[in-house]
């Protein structure tokens, strides 16, 4: 019986260069840097999508937490690239993970006006009813676009 780890794809030159530039070891797709940031967290924030896709194929974990309790999905919302947000959701990210303050990625996206990320979170079923100290994502909407996206999602869910 072979107990060796599964064979992962060889890392591209672009990914190897990214890891080196960010101070990660050459094959460290799950390595941690300052504030417990992982390569996937950095790539989720700054892209490009192809780099995120390669990290996911290479076994990067979507459930890693940085020092603030944020996961790659949160950092993808900061970057507001809908393709990256969708990839991380599809890879199994916890839509309703709470950081050390008790906030979710949906709350962040709403409060920061990250409408593209917010739309992906809502389409995937992120919890619109969760509240922290009596305040929910709807209350935190920074823009009319975000508020309208959440109101429409709430109406659709009420009809289901």
């Amino acid at each position: 019986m072979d107990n060796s780890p599964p064979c992962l794809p060889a890392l591209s030159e672009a990914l190897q260069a990214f890891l080196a530039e960010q101070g990660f070891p050459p094959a460290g797709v799950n390595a941690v840097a300052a504030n417990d940031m992982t390569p996937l967290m950095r790539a989720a924030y700054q892209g490009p999508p192809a780099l995120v896709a390669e990290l996911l194929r290479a076994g990067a974990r979507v459930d890693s937490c940085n020092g603030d309790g944020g996961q790659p999905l949160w950092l993808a919302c900061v970057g507001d690239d809908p393709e990256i947000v969708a990839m991380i959701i599809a890879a199994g990210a916890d839509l309703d993970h709470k950081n050390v303050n008790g906030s979710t990625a949906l709350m962040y996206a709403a409060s920061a006006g990250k409408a593209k990320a917010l739309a992906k979170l809502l389409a995937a079923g992120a919890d619109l009813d969760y509240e922290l100290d009596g305040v929910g994502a709807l209350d935190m909407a920074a823009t009319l676009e975000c508020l309208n996206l959440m109101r429409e999602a709430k109406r659709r869910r009420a009809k289901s």
Side-chain angles (χ1 to χ4, degrees):
M1 179 176 201
D2 183 8
N3 288 329
S4 60
C7 185
L8 295 174
L11 304 182
S12 71
E13 287 183 26
L15 180 52
Q16 290 176 43
F18 171 81
L19 292 170
E21 288 165 10
Q22 300 297 321
F24 293 109
V29 297
N30 286 304
V32 294
N35 197 35
D36 293 330
M37 291 288 284
T38 67
L40 181 58
M41 290 175 193
R42 293 251 174 95
Y45 166 66
Q46 63 194 56
L51 187 62
V52 173
E54 184 176 357
L55 279 162
L56 291 169
R57 284 191 307 273
R61 296 182 54 167
V62 295
D63 63 347
S64 297
C65 291
N66 66 15
D68 302 319
Q71 295 185 331
L73 181 57
W74 185 292
L75 279 292
C77 291
V78 173
D80 202 26
D81 182 320
E83 185 179 353
I84 292 174
V85 173
M87 278 192 278
I88 292 176
I89 290 170
D94 179 357
L95 292 174
D96 300 314
H97 172 80
K98 294 158 189 71
N99 71 6
V100 295
N101 297 316
S103 294
T104 65
L106 184 74
M107 291 173 150
Y108 166 75
S111 68
K114 305 290 186 170
K116 295 176 212 167
L118 182 71
K120 291 295 183 183
L121 292 167
L122 292 168
D127 187 357
L128 258 168
D129 296 320
Y130 170 72
E131 293 184 351
L132 177 62
D133 297 328
V135 178
L138 272 161
D139 304 309
M140 297 178 178
T143 66
L144 184 58
E145 182 181 13
C146 288
L147 181 61
N148 287 337
L149 284 167
M150 290 184 288
R151 284 179 174 164
E152 180 57 32
K154 195 109 167 138
R155 279 192 287 273
R156 279 194 312 271
R157 291 177 188 183
K159 290 180 183 178
S160 303

